[in-house]
Amino acid sequence: MNKAFLVARHEYVETVRTKAFWLGILAFPVIISLAIGIPMLLDKTKDVRKYAVIDQSGFLWQEIETRIYLEDVRNVILASRDKRKKGGEAFDRLPEVVRRLTLAWMALGEDSQDAFVSRLGGQRSGSATRAGQEALWDPETDAAEFLASGNGDQLFAWWRDTPIDDMSDLDIDLARRQFLVVEVPEERRSAEELNRMVADEQLFAYFVIGQDPVAGSEGSKYVSNNLTDRKLVNWLRGLASGVVREHRIASESIDASVARWIQEPLRFEARKVGDEGTEEEVEAEDTARQWAPTAFTYLLWISIFTGAQMLLTSTIEEKSARIMEVLVSSVSHFELMAGKVAGVAAAGLTVVGSWAVFIFLAVIAVPILVGAPSLGFIGQIIADPGFLLAFMVYFVLGYLLYASLLVGVGSVCTSIKDAQGLMMPIMIPMMIPIFAMVPVSQDPNGLFARVMSFIPPFTPFVMMNRAAGPPELWEYVATTLLLIGAIYLTMVGAARVFRIGILMTGKPPKLMEIIRWLRIDPAVNPSTMEEDS
Amino acid sequence: MENAIELENVVKSFGAKVAVDGLSLKVPCGCIYGFLGPNGAGKTTTLRMVLGIFYPDAGRISVLGQSDPASVKERIGYLPEERGLYEKMRVVDLMAYFGQLKGMSSGSARKRALDLLEQYGLGEWADKKCQALSKGMAQKAQILATLIHEPELIILDEPFSGLDPINRDLMRDMILQLKREGGSVIFSTHIMEQAEQICDRVLLINDGRKVLDGELSDVRSRAGKEIRLDYDGDGDFLHGLPGVARVNDSGKQAELFMEEDADPQAVLAALVAAGVRVRRFDLRELSLHEIFIRAVGGAKAAAGDTAGVGEMQGEGKDHE
């Protein structure tokens, strides 16, 4: 089979010289970089909505600001807790006061955590954020010490004074990234002045809080020229309503804890069942894990299709350039076909392998070498060796199946145009796994997904798609065996068509004619398989 | 090994069409052998079976002493009628690749490719891509690629078709050169004059069946001779001349087809004795065209659906 190797090497070298090959290698890093880079860029350049507030009540705005602060503190704690859980340096890079805050919060029971945060608000404003102050409090905790030793002020100073760009390095998103309040000097707080600022786009909007917001909405208004983007008004209205509600509860002498209990929504905590059948917490990775197979399936489809297409093109080129006959006078039909299939497979694996190297560099090596933050959990999912292994295996198997079909098609056609007609019956089954992608990933172990896995042309894509399930081992084994059997049959069929097809010129044969060829026993060709002895 | 190729009752059909029907022949080593016949006669199919590209439905083929043609692929050079080059490959790489497919090592294939290109004036094109070659140069490169592994047997399918005059001469010289070096050459053509010029032996084939074969000189002498006669007088006496098998009389001119071993001298004597005024008496051997047309009986020629037959019709019409 030395000759088949020569053909394969030739095919590989010629493929590597084509533009399509290099486009294939480059396309993936470019697409991934854009997919990750563009949202980041958009995020960075996103306009901050600037707004002003005229508070005629004299108290409401100050309490709203406290709530903004507390909301940010909660987000800071959650982000920082995730870093702590994940381990590594990310947590150590946080400011000391944030680290202490997080550790103190984590040491508390779920009931006390909210109270602790509310107290931070109370400390800051000196006034009542009542719910927190009345909650049970154990002075022996870290949290109590945190509050007692003046860390609350330090935290507030950090929150108030740190430029937003420094915070973004810590992956902590604060409200003021989106909505920034502008202090308007006393002398300019007239309606005309503010209207002018809105018209000049110095302000996105301004709020006027009426004289007695607790009594009703009279005198409160929101002025903006952008009436479609309602995020700012919704956000601030939510906060203001909360404050007003608290005041109303207090004025009606309803016990704060009762009021809180009445307002407490029912939460369903998302859990999943782990490998040992125990419940586990759901983390961001888990969501990505459901999503990653879909991306891999699509990638797999593109790689297989590109590889098989390359083979089709090169077969037709050899036919239209009239090189086939010289080749088959030197090597057997089978060696020629096997060499071509293997050569293009090697080129395809080179492309896919280069992607793997790129992922490895981007996800693992770069953060280690440069110390830059990694691509995060998405990157870690992609770098999961299980996914990559399955991807490689299904690439090779799927490629072999479709390559043998397309090499058969290529062998009977003299031009790409001829091929298009015959490609239809192959393209349609190839499209089905793409259409089935969403239903399969929603129910990876459902009946539909299982049935699809056992249809060989769909097996690579559907099994890849189901990886989040994941399917049971016997399913992997059974579908793969079935797929290998199908590959063997298509290879034998393709070899029969190839043998007759490559020396044909002119109009491609009808499908019925090709089916007739499939029935021709290769025994007529006794020595095809045993040359070069 | 006495014969480069032996075929015994070889049959090959494609569907309902029988392309080669019970063909037997021997091609001795060291000769130039021509497969002659119109397009569609089965020449290419026979050559492809000899090369192991097709397998016969029945019969026996032996090539270079081996019963499995596939086992001697490396000792045969083949130039098909439809020939091309990989457009994007460099000339020397392409030739080296073809050499390697014939079992040469990468190094020696490369060296031999450069030598051949140098020898035939394509040295400076060795590193150019094939698509940069002119048509004539591409033809030359194709011919050279056939020879790269110094084959014992060369098979050329319609080698002269489409060649420019310079390459036509190059091809002829190469065929003669190969013979001098002890190689065997088989080529097919539908243009008989080419075969007459260089063949030692010929096979005439039509509709997949052998019409006749043998050494060219034998074939021609066996076919008999012909007298062209320009005369004045009564044509009746032409019938019944000694040794004349058939007469094609046009009044002032006649063609007399001689029986085998007949003596033209006796015909001339009889004419003179009969008092015919002979203005021209021209004794000649039949051309291969004429032999072919006569042997086939004109049925194929009359059908005349291909270029090859058309050509033969043009020259054969005087005789039938």
Side-chain angles (χ1 to χ4, degrees), chain A residues 3 6-7 9-10 14 318 321-323 325-333 503 524-527 531, chain B residues 48 51 53-55 68 70 73-74 78 80 82-86 88-89 93 97-98 100-103:
Chain A
K3 297 268 179 74
L6 284 171
V7 174
R9 195 181 60 184
H10 168 81
E14 290 305 301
E318 270 167 7
R322 318 240 181 254
I323 301 168
E325 202 171 348
V326 177
L327 292 177
V328 291
S329 76
S330 304
V331 304
S332 75
H333 302 86
L503 293 179
V524 179
N525 234 355
S527 53
E531 268 147 294
Chain B
R48 285 179 178 174
L51 287 158
I53 295 174
F54 289 163
Y55 291 80
D68 177 10
K73 279 186 171 177
E74 293 181 359
Y78 177 48
E82 300 278 12
R83 47 213 177 218
L85 302 168
Y86 286 107
K88 307 266 185 215
M89 272 182 103
D93 291 342
Y97 175 51
F98 282 174
Q100 281 179 275
L101 287 180
K102 289 291 189 184

Side-chain angles (χ1 to χ4, degrees), chain A residues 77-97:
Chain A
I77 288 173
L78 291 178
S80 137
R81 178 199 61 178
D82 284 351
K83 286 187 200 299
R84 171 73 183 177
K85 276 190 177 172
K86 205 171 282 175
E89 291 172 16
F91 183 75
D92 297 339
R93 282 204 300 271
L94 294 170
E96 204 210 329
V97 64

Side-chain angles (χ1 to χ4, degrees), chain A residues 76-133:
Chain A
V76 166
I77 288 173
L78 291 178
S80 137
R81 178 199 61 178
D82 284 351
K83 286 187 200 299
R84 171 73 183 177
K85 276 190 177 172
K86 205 171 282 175
E89 291 172 16
F91 183 75
D92 297 339
R93 282 204 300 271
L94 294 170
E96 204 210 329
V97 64
V98 174
R99 293 205 304 267
R100 291 193 53 199
L101 169 75
T102 309
L103 293 173
W105 182 87
M106 284 170 76
L108 290 172
E110 258 174 64
D111 294 341
S112 323
Q113 283 174 339
D114 272 356
F116 171 47
V117 174
S118 301
R119 283 230 169 186
L120 289 168
Q123 235 184 16
R124 186 248 143 179
S125 63
S127 72
T129 306
R130 293 168 181 82
Q133 295 181 343

Side-chain angles (χ1 to χ4, degrees), chain A residues 146-163:
Chain A
F146 184 88
L147 291 168
S149 56
N151 282 303
D153 297 337
Q154 215 181 321
L155 182 69
F156 182 71
W158 169 80
W159 175 79
R160 186 189 53 201
D161 299 335
T162 311

